[in-house]
C-alpha cells in the first residue's frame, strides 16, 4: 500500500484540517441567547394560540418544537453571527434583512410540510418583522460582547 508523504524539501504547504467556519466559542453566548429567547417566545405565542407545532419531539411534555428552538435556531444564529462579524455595519444590516426576508418563505414551506400551523389571522409579514427584531437583538448582543473582549 502506497502512502503519500510530505517531502521535507518541498515548498508546498501542508493542508490543515478545516473546522466548521461558524463553530467557534465566541458565537456560543449569542446562540444561547437565541435558544432562550426563541423558546420563551414560542411558548408565549403557542400559549396565546397564534400558532402550533403538530409535528414535534415529546409532544406530551413540550408545546413547542424544542428540536428547532434548542438545536436548529442556535446553529443558524451561529452561522449568521459568523457572517455578520466579517462585514461592516451596512453589511450586517443587509445580512439580517436578507435572512429575515427568507423566514416567511421557509415558514410557508414548513406549513406545507406539516411542521407548523398558523391561525387564519396570521400574516407572514409578522414573521419578517419579528425575526428582524430578534436577529438584530442577538447581533447587537454579540457585537457588544466582542467589543468588550477586544478591550
Amino acid at each position: 500500500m502506497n502512502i503519500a508523504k510530505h517531502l521535507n524539501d518541498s515548498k508546498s504547504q501542508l493542508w490543515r484540517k478545516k473546522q466548521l467556519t461558524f463553530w467557534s466559542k465566541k458565537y456560543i453566548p449569542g446562540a444561547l441567547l437565541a435558544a432562550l429567547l426563541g423558546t420563551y417566545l414560542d411558548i408565549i405565542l403557542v400559549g396565546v394560540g397564534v400558532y402550533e407545532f403538530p409535528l414535534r419531539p415529546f409532544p406530551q411534555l413540550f408545546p413547542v418544537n424544542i428540536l428547532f428552538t434548542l438545536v436548529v435556531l442556535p446553529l443558524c444564529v451561529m452561522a449568521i453571527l459568523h457572517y455578520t462579524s466579517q462585514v461592516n455595519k451596512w453589511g450586517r444590516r443587509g445580512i439580517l434583512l436578507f435572512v429575515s426576508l427568507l423566514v416567511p418563505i421557509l415558514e410557508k414551506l414548513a406549513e406545507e410540510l406539516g411542521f407548523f400551523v398558523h391561525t387564519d389571522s396570521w400574516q407572514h409579514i409578522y414573521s419578517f418583522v419579528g425575526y428582524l427584531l430578534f436577529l438584530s437583538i442577538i447581533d447587537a448582543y454579540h457585537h457588544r460582547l466582542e467589543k468588550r473582549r477586544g478591550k
Side-chain angles (χ1 to χ4, degrees):
M1 182 160 135
N2 293 334
I3 298 176
K5 292 185 177 182
H6 185 73
L7 295 174
N8 289 336
D9 60 345
S10 175
K11 302 277 190 239
S12 64
Q13 298 268 336
L14 287 175
W15 287 4
R16 290 187 294 166
K17 261 189 187 177
K18 278 190 124 182
Q19 67 180 35
L20 291 174
T21 55
F22 66 88
W23 191 257
S24 174
K25 287 183 201 176
K26 67 181 182 179
Y27 305 124
I28 291 178
L32 289 174
L33 180 62
L36 285 172
L37 278 177
T39 303
Y40 286 126
L41 286 170
D42 274 354
I43 288 171
I44 290 168
L45 293 172
V46 166
V48 171
V50 174
Y51 54 79
E52 64 182 66
F53 300 96
L55 299 175
R56 63 184 186 271
F58 309 112
Q60 61 278 21
L61 292 177
F62 303 105
V64 298
N65 187 342
I66 59 165
L67 180 66
F68 176 76
T69 60
L70 299 179
V71 177
V72 175
L73 187 62
L75 287 175
C76 290
V77 164
M78 288 176 79
I80 291 166
L81 291 177
H82 171 72
Y83 291 113
T84 59
S85 63
Q86 294 182 351
V87 295
N88 63 16
K89 178 174 73 169
W90 292 103
R92 285 172 41 201
R93 290 177 182 172
I95 290 171
L96 297 179
L97 183 65
F98 176 74
V99 171
S100 298
L101 285 170
L102 279 179
V103 168
I105 296 167
L106 296 174
E107 195 173 75
K108 196 75 167 154
L109 177 65
E111 285 179 346
E112 295 292 325
L113 295 173
F115 293 116
F116 204 50
V117 176
H118 283 106
T119 61
D120 292 334
S121 63
W122 183 259
Q123 300 292 317
H124 289 285
I125 190 75
Y126 302 156
S127 297
F128 164 71
V129 172
Y131 268 93
L132 185 60
L133 182 63
F134 174 79
L135 291 173
S136 296
I137 290 168
I138 302 295
D139 186 62
Y141 172 75
H142 171 72
H143 282 84
R144 181 171 289 140
L145 282 180
E146 286 299 302
K147 282 183 182 178
R148 283 189 179 170
R149 285 183 191 148
K151 288 184 177 178

